[in-house]
Amino acid sequence: MQWRDTIRTATEAVRTHRLRSALTMLGILIGITAVILTVGLGNGAKADVRDQINELGTNLLVVSPGSSTDSSGVRGGFGSSSTLTIEDAEAIADPEAAPDVQAVAATATSSVSLTNGDTNWTTTLTGTTPSWAEVRSREVTSGRFIDEDDEDAAAAVVVLGPDTASELFTTGNPVGQYVTYNGSKLKVIGVLEELSSSEETANNDLAIVPFSTYSERLVGGSGRDSVSSIYVKATSEATLSAAYQETNALLLNLHGLTSADDADFSIATQESILTAATSVDKTMTVMLGGIAVISLLVGGIGVMNIMLVSVTERIREIGLRKALGARPRSIRRQFLVEASVLGFAGGVLGVGLGIVGAIVLPHLTDTRVILSLTASLAAIAMAIGIGVVFGVYPASRAARLAPIDALRSE
Amino acid sequence: MSAVLQLAAISKTYATGAVEVQALRGVDLTIDQGEFVAIVGPSGSGKSTLMHILGCLDTPTAGTFHLAGDDVASLDEDRLADVRNRHIGFVFQQFNLLPYLSAWRNVELPLVYTGTDRHERRERALSALAQVGLADRADHKPGELSGGQQQRVAIARALVTEPAMILADEPTGNLDSVSTADVLGLLDHLHAQGRTIVLITHEQDVAERAERIVQIYDGQVRTEEVAGAVA
């Protein structure tokens, strides 16, 4: 029997028993849709995290106080100590000591309440250097960013994040007006451009003052020169690892340490932050994927069930085909192809429904779904595979039927 | 005339649990090319078992069976399927047409298993339908045909491979008297064209259409009588 005839016979059988075929396909369809959407949601979450990390700026290293990250990703005393100072940042910024570093910005942050008349708003007060805007790839929409003169004079000026500005100044341009922190009046000199795609509110809700203003006039305290992070921008993507080495060596030297194991700071790359952030999503994806695979398995058992019913119901047809000269292997192949046709159709429809879901879901739940062609093709292949695997037993049963018994049954 | 079918000392024993049933006890039978033979016998006589062996649907426990020159008594399942496909055209009491296929698609079915090219299959199926007088019904499904017409489609299916023998098992059992006459007339016609026909029946008047009647009783051939018609 030729393959073309086998496939034709199988599709005819599928079309003849429409309702039964549709119900069988449904099981596979749901499983495949679940797989497609799970993978799509996983990819979407990953892309979201990547975008957030990229919002930090490009070719960036983030130096934090505290000991380094161990192999399992647990940070010892992260940010709890104040081992980094503004002097560290200045040392890294020296182009002779660290030629692959383009710019450095140290930041010190604290959560504070700013007031404008009766309005008050809690935001993150950030003391930093003028290089921050370059390092973090941010711009101002109105006014200007802090400059060296502000830094030298410890000027009472502030640049507001777009959200902070709109909370404190419901009407009019905030530039030129004043906000008050803890009795000190700060002149608003600029408003940052909004990061539209950002889900990280900290990127749009913050208040930036010169580092000198922050440490000398506003917050001060014991660790006057200590900073909470140092952002280091490499000259290019290619020099990122060189910049990493230079920063690491400089800091170890400055802190009087000989072994990297004793480091009282940690340097994170965007890639390492991304890996840490996506590991949670990955667990979720694996879990959802597991559920999807189980639903596919149930779909496969459905195929086997229906195929067994089909064999019993068509016992006379099998007997007749055998009497007319069908070898057992022709019969087996016919039922296997029938099962894989069901699997294929269920798979294609499942991918179709997955695509519909990927279009509809973001509108309903505000989550991002990114479909992958590879995953879709793999899902269809998987659906055919399920048809074949779960079709083997019913097909062998059909093939083993004795023709006289099959013909005799009423 | 050469023998199409030669059975020598054929016996068949079924083991149903502890009891052994001997359905056939040494059957000797020879059927020549172009003969029209009826096999008759009451139920339980071993008639059905004989039909299954003649049709290569079952193998005998002992004895030799030659069909169209081949020894078929000891073939495996695949080879038996090939023998059925090439040498035997079946006509059943229940017609056994596939309801979702049109008449010509039912007729071409045996050719599908020989791997015949699609165009040739269609041509041969249509010509077989023409031989049974149903050329104009080729695209009808079995449900759209009368009982007599369905059985004629089944006969066309039995003819399409040009088999050594047409084996008809109670072909008129499900038909009214008009259709019975119609189908038997067709078998006569095919016989007149020189085809070998073996007819299994329990109806005496149907059996009398044949040249030769073989009586089976208790698993043995009891009498072979030549029917009154010209031999």
Side-chain angles (χ1 to χ4, degrees):
Chain A
M1 193 173 186
Q2 293 166 353
W3 274 105
R4 211 169 59 174
D5 292 314
T6 309
I7 290 166
R8 189 172 174 204
T9 305
T11 47
E12 267 164 2
V14 167
R15 269 187 288 141
T16 306
H17 309 283
R18 270 168 229 273
L19 179 65
R20 195 166 68 193
S21 303
L23 288 174
T24 313
M25 275 182 227
L26 197 63
I28 295 211
L29 185 152
I30 290 169
I32 293 295
T33 306
V35 168
I36 292 283
L37 284 181
T38 308
V39 174
L41 281 169
N43 286 343
K46 207 163 153 189
D48 275 345
V49 172
R50 189 176 288 275
D51 285 354
Q52 278 170 33
I53 307 294
N54 285 339
E55 275 167 12
L56 286 173
T58 46
N59 308 325
L60 205 63
L61 299 171
V62 183
V63 188
S64 310
S67 60
S68 61
T69 312
D70 72 14
S71 58
S72 64
V74 177
R75 280 164 201 269
F78 173 81
S80 56
S81 53
S82 43
T83 52
L84 287 179
T85 61
I86 189 75
E87 284 78 26
D88 291 330
E90 281 162 7
I92 300 165
D94 179 355
E96 280 179 31
D100 295 307
V101 171
Q102 183 184 325
V104 177
T107 62
T109 57
S110 52
S111 182
V112 301
S113 182
L114 298 179
T115 53
N116 168 35
D118 292 337
T119 318
N120 72 66
W121 180 247
T122 303
T123 186
T124 310
L125 185 68
T126 306
T128 190
T129 49
S131 55
W132 186 89
E134 180 190 357
V135 173
R136 298 288 304 272
S137 314
R138 297 292 295 268
E139 282 169 11
V140 290
T141 43
S142 62
R144 61 175 179 84
F145 198 67
I146 54 173
D147 60 19
E148 291 296 340
D149 294 342
D150 298 325
E151 180 63 37
D152 291 344
V157 294
V158 65
V159 174
L160 298 177
D163 290 354
T164 323
S166 59
E167 289 294 342
L168 287 167
F169 300 93
T170 42
T171 53
N173 190 349
V175 176
Q177 304 199 50
Y178 289 87
V179 293
T180 311
Y181 163 61
N182 209 8
S184 308
K185 287 185 95 181
L186 298 168
K187 185 179 183 184
V188 179
I189 55 169
V191 176
L192 286 171
E193 187 181 27
E194 185 165 8
L195 276 182
S196 58
S197 62
S198 180
E199 289 182 19
E200 198 71 38
T201 52
N203 281 330
N204 287 327
D205 180 12
L206 76 174
I208 293 168
V209 295
F211 188 80
S212 52
T213 314
Y214 182 91
S215 60
E216 289 163 25
R217 298 171 67 145
L218 301 177
V219 181
S222 55
R224 200 157 250 239
D225 285 345
S226 75
V227 297
S228 49
S229 335
I230 299 173
Y231 294 94
V232 178
K233 188 181 173 79
T235 48
S236 75
E237 200 180 341
T239 57
L240 191 62
S241 78
Y244 182 99
Q245 300 296 339
E246 289 160 9
T247 304
N248 198 35
L250 268 171
L251 287 178
L252 284 174
N253 196 18
L254 278 171
H255 293 192
L257 303 166
T258 47
S259 162
D261 294 338
D262 302 330
D264 53 0
F265 58 88
S266 66
I267 307 174
T269 60
Q270 279 164 299
E271 207 52 46
S272 70
I273 300 170
L274 187 66
T275 310
T278 47
S279 69
V280 180
D281 287 322
K282 218 173 253 167
T283 314
M284 201 66 187
T285 307
V286 167
M287 243 180 64
L288 284 172
I291 294 168
V293 166
I294 288 170
S295 75
L296 260 182
L297 201 71
V298 173
I301 293 168
V303 170
M304 179 150 79
N305 198 353
I306 300 285
M307 290 304 293
L308 281 173
V309 171
S310 179
V311 167
T312 312
E313 205 175 78
R314 286 153 66 194
I315 204 159
R316 284 187 72 87
E317 173 181 338
I318 296 162
L320 172 74
R321 285 180 183 276
K322 286 193 146 194
L324 297 182
R327 289 179 169 198
R329 85 172 65 114
S330 302
I331 299 289
R332 187 182 304 119
R333 205 186 284 161
Q334 181 191 331
F335 278 88
L336 272 181
V337 170
E338 202 172 314
S340 44
V341 164
L342 285 172
F344 174 73
V348 170
L349 292 175
V351 168
L353 191 65
I355 291 170
V356 172
I359 294 165
V360 172
L361 213 60
H363 293 293
L364 298 179
T365 62
D366 207 33
T367 45
R368 210 157 137 194
V369 183
I370 297 170
L371 291 182
S372 107
L373 182 69
T374 332
S376 303
L377 292 179
I380 291 174
M382 195 152 63
I384 297 174
I386 281 171
V388 171
V389 166
F390 286 94
V392 165
Y393 176 60
S396 316
R397 260 181 68 152
R400 279 201 312 267
L401 278 173
I404 37 172
D405 295 336
L407 278 171
R408 233 186 248 147
S409 83
E410 294 301 317
Chain B
M1 276 194 279
S2 61
V4 168
L5 201 125
Q6 236 173 349
L7 278 75
I10 289 287
S11 61
K12 177 74 182 177
T13 310
Y14 293 109
T16 48
V19 192
E20 280 204 347
V21 181
Q22 232 189 343
L24 294 177
R25 311 154 186 257
V27 171
D28 298 304
L29 181 65
T30 303
I31 295 173
D32 286 335
Q33 171 77 46
E35 265 197 294
F36 186 176
V37 177
I39 296 173
V40 296
S43 57
S45 61
K47 186 181 54 169
S48 293
T49 307
L50 181 59
M51 179 260 167
H52 292 147
I53 288 173
L54 288 180
C56 295
L57 294 165
D58 207 351
T59 48
T61 317
T64 60
F65 173 22
H66 286 86
L67 176 65
D70 295 335
D71 181 6
V72 295
S74 55
L75 296 181
D76 65 12
E77 230 190 319
D78 283 355
R79 304 289 304 282
L80 278 179
D82 295 344
V83 168
R84 289 196 293 269
N85 187 261
R86 268 184 286 125
H87 295 319
I88 303 167
F90 285 97
V91 180
F92 302 97
Q93 181 175 359
Q94 314 284 347
F95 320 143
N96 280 339
L97 299 174
L98 297 183
Y100 56 90
L101 296 179
S102 63
W104 82 266
R105 293 285 312 280
N106 265 291
V107 173
E108 69 153 8
L109 219 48
L111 297 176
V112 169
Y113 293 107
T114 62
T116 310
D117 163 77
R118 214 203 269 227
H119 288 285
E120 194 191 332
R121 289 207 305 257
R122 187 178 156 84
E123 260 168 47
R124 285 172 66 175
L126 291 178
S127 104
L129 277 172
Q131 284 183 62
V132 300
L134 284 177
D136 56 335
R137 294 284 192 275
D139 290 319
H140 287 58
K141 295 211 168 152
E144 298 158 5
L145 300 171
S146 72
Q149 285 173 327
Q150 287 187 52
Q151 193 61 300
R152 285 206 276 166
V153 171
I155 292 171
R157 184 180 61 197
L159 289 174
V160 79
T161 53
E162 300 287 335
M165 161 178 74
I166 290 173
L167 187 59
D169 182 19
E170 302 277 7
T172 57
N174 269 8
L175 298 177
D176 59 29
S177 57
V178 178
S179 297
T180 296
D182 187 37
V183 164
L184 290 176
L186 181 59
L187 290 178
D188 280 340
H189 176 66
L190 293 171
H191 173 230
Q193 288 179 344
R195 295 192 187 272
T196 312
I197 297 170
V198 177
L199 176 71
I200 290 148
T201 184
H202 65 275
E203 291 171 78
Q204 196 59 37
D205 53 334
V206 171
E208 269 158 19
R209 301 292 282 259
E211 293 173 313
R212 182 153 68 107
I213 296 176
V214 176
Q215 293 259 8
I216 302 288
Y217 194 78
D218 274 352
Q220 285 175 310
V221 175
R222 198 170 62 176
T223 52
E224 284 195 46
E225 54 183 81
V226 177
V230 274

